[in-house]
Amino acid sequence: MIAALGAVLPIAVGGMLASLPVVAMAAVLGTIAGRDVLRRFTLGWLVGMLAVGTLGLLLVDVVTFASDSAAWLAGLRIALGVALIVLAARAFLRRPRGDAARASPKWMTALEGMEAGRAFRMAFLLGSVNPKNVVIVLSGVATIVAQTGDVGTQFVVLLVFVLVTSLGVLAPLAALTLLGDRAARPLERFVGWFAHNSQVVLASVILLLGVVVLSGGLAALG
């Protein structure tokens, strides 16, 4: 288990940083919609992450058992690393410029008036079917399976992976619960900073994450 945790934690930390857009959404919801809506949003994210992680673990285990070879698993990690690098390039090329870079992102206004049920559904989809998140979670799953074939250990490590990856999304709820209204101003400052630096930050994080996953796959293949 220790080896699997050590191998997957860098990906989990990268996933946590790559989820900054969801962290910003959570921060906005906490300040304009209240803690009840934020709790449902946070729960939706966790359920979505765990769902895609569990399904990915099942599929990778089945294919690994059927193929009886670790070579395809190394190839999967290489493919996922390349996919992350492509996503990083796309995020950088699509960054807003000029007046668009100074304008408030559309997602901020879309959160106004959001109810708890809709917040849960949105976060679930962000955690489960968002392409960037799916690639990151599958990268973690492939790394876990490459380190241990014990299904129980795999699932425990997956839970740790989901928790670490979700720490940023959990932070606004934790801050508002512990600090109350005193947390509103720091959260607003974070949202303001991220709104104008999001694509460059994301591109950098996803690029580094892609290099880590690709390097792990190449090393396993070698």
Side-chain angles (χ1 to χ4, degrees), residues 35-58:
R35 265 171 272 180
D36 288 339
V37 174
L38 178 56
R39 275 192 286 269
R40 294 293 293 274
F41 182 87
T42 306
L43 179 61
W45 168 265
L46 289 171
V47 173
M49 285 282 292
L50 191 56
V52 71
T54 302
L55 180 60
L57 188 60
L58 176 63

Side-chain angles (χ1 to χ4, degrees), residues 2 7 26 30 35 48-49 52 62-63 92 99 101 104-105 123 138 153 203 207:
I2 300 301
R35 265 171 272 180
M49 285 282 292
V52 71
V62 168
V63 176
F92 182 78
D99 293 338
S104 296
L138 288 179
T153 301
L207 176 62

